[in-house]
Amino acid sequence: MLALTEDGRAKVNLTLRVVGRRVDGYHDLESVVAFADCADRLSLADGPELRLTTTGPLAEACGETVDNLVFKAAQLLGDRVADLRLGEFTLDKVLPVAAGIGGGSADAAAALRLLARANGLAIDDTRLLEVAQLTGADVPVCLASRACVMTGVGETLLPLTLPKMPCVLVNPRIPVATKDVFRALGLRNGELLVGASDVIRAPAWPEAGSSVEDWVEMLAASSNDLEAPATRIQPVIGDVISALSATNGAWLVRMSGSGATCFAIFENTADAQRAAQKIQLNHPQWWVHAGLLS
């Protein structure tokens, strides 16, 4: 087998509504998800056993190999597919970890796509989808790696057609644990944040062919319910939002996921590039990416 490669693209939650907390402790969410043009790169080569090597500028942040979601996903799939052909993974890590952009989930999803290719499995194989859900809440959406409305605990995906949105992503290089943010949100098991009428009034998102401006207008009417509790845990998130809001041409500024990465959507790529340069100059310790969401 020649080495196969897949990108693990950054996931961005353009909106994130917490519907409530189930009696089993999991949170029901509703989120418009897009994907950015920045990504980790994962490759798979022949090898006698399952191995994972991490390289790249953020390799040290990945922690122990046995705790990596790539490893977990591969092992879970091996439990379900007889004689699964595994091998040696190499992860080029460029996305910040514990950052609200699904870096580890995107890597695990890339591993599942690689194993599917290496073993002749269809991408909609039920075993693949089951493993994605078991590996982590964001893995199913990252497996598809396309814009959608994500509901439930991440297992229900409704595809969307987004225009290419010029954006800037900024992470202050301070990890934020998702479990801590949900704990700070403070919902009890079985508690709902929205009623039936709120669900009925769920927005009808713009149709295919709609402009960035149309989308921003709709997105601005929503929010990220985790932004406030995450900012209480890490006040630097407020600094990131302020820095993005202070740039010229930022149409919408918001936190992604459980933080601390925040994003801004711009009218054009030139404004996005200038904004990224300004923020990088003023905050050289921050991770900054200018590109496109789609």
Side-chain angles (χ1 to χ4, degrees):
M1 175 176 73
L2 294 174
L4 305 173
T5 62
E6 285 277 344
D7 285 342
R9 296 166 68 201
K11 164 204 66 81
V12 176
N13 299 91
L14 299 177
T15 69
L16 200 161
R17 184 166 72 152
V18 181
V19 177
R21 189 175 185 181
R22 300 181 179 186
V23 292
D24 62 8
Y26 288 98
H27 289 79
D28 270 318
L29 309 174
E30 182 181 272
S31 177
V32 175
V33 177
F35 285 85
D37 56 358
C38 52
D40 293 335
R41 173 152 288 197
L42 188 68
S43 64
L44 174 63
D46 264 331
E49 58 185 13
L50 175 62
R51 291 186 58 190
L52 172 63
T53 302
T54 53
T55 63
L58 294 178
E60 288 186 8
C62 290
E64 294 296 322
T65 296
V66 292
D67 298 326
N68 195 288
L69 292 185
V70 167
F71 220 70
K72 180 179 178 180
Q75 289 177 319
L76 286 171
L77 190 61
D79 292 341
R80 286 159 178 78
V81 179
D83 301 319
L84 184 73
R85 189 179 188 181
L86 295 167
E88 299 185 1
F89 287 105
T90 301
L91 174 62
D92 183 27
K93 188 69 181 170
V94 299
L95 299 177
V97 301
I101 53 175
S105 298
D107 298 340
L112 291 176
R113 291 195 300 272
L114 286 170
L115 290 170
R117 289 168 59 190
N119 290 274
L121 302 177
I123 199 66
D124 59 354
D125 189 300
T126 55
R127 295 167 296 183
L128 214 63
L129 301 177
E130 180 190 11
V131 167
Q133 291 180 29
L134 289 171
T135 304
D138 278 338
V139 180
V141 72
C142 290
L143 185 64
S145 195
R146 61 160 298 178
C148 66
V149 178
M150 178 177 71
T151 55
V153 293
E155 78 283 9
T156 305
L157 309 174
L158 177 67
L160 288 174
T161 302
L162 291 179
K164 292 190 182 301
M165 299 180 174
C167 75
V168 175
L169 304 180
V170 178
N171 181 276
R173 295 187 188 270
I174 293 176
V176 178
T178 300
K179 67 179 187 302
D180 294 343
V181 177
F182 277 110
R183 188 180 298 121
L185 186 65
L187 292 186
R188 299 181 302 276
N189 286 10
E191 183 178 357
L192 291 177
L193 277 184
V194 301
S197 60
D198 294 307
V199 175
I200 292 169
R201 289 198 300 268
W205 298 104
E207 296 178 356
S210 299
S211 67
V212 174
E213 193 169 6
D214 291 337
W215 269 96
V216 167
E217 187 177 341
M218 286 291 294
L219 293 168
S222 300
S223 62
N224 180 344
D225 290 343
L226 298 182
E227 194 171 298
T231 304
R232 289 198 297 272
I233 293 170
Q234 288 294 353
V236 70
I237 293 170
D239 299 335
V240 175
I241 288 174
S242 295
L244 283 166
S245 299
T247 59
N248 292 325
W251 276 359
L252 178 73
V253 177
R254 186 167 289 161
M255 188 185 82
S256 174
S258 55
T261 302
C262 301
F263 66 90
I265 296 174
F266 290 82
E267 180 179 3
N268 56 66
T269 54
D271 284 350
Q273 290 285 353
R274 283 190 290 268
Q277 290 166 5
K278 176 186 176 184
I279 292 172
Q280 193 74 84
L281 186 66
N282 293 337
H283 302 277
Q285 75 278 22
W286 289 0
W287 178 89
V288 181
H289 171 79
L292 294 170
L293 296 175
S294 61

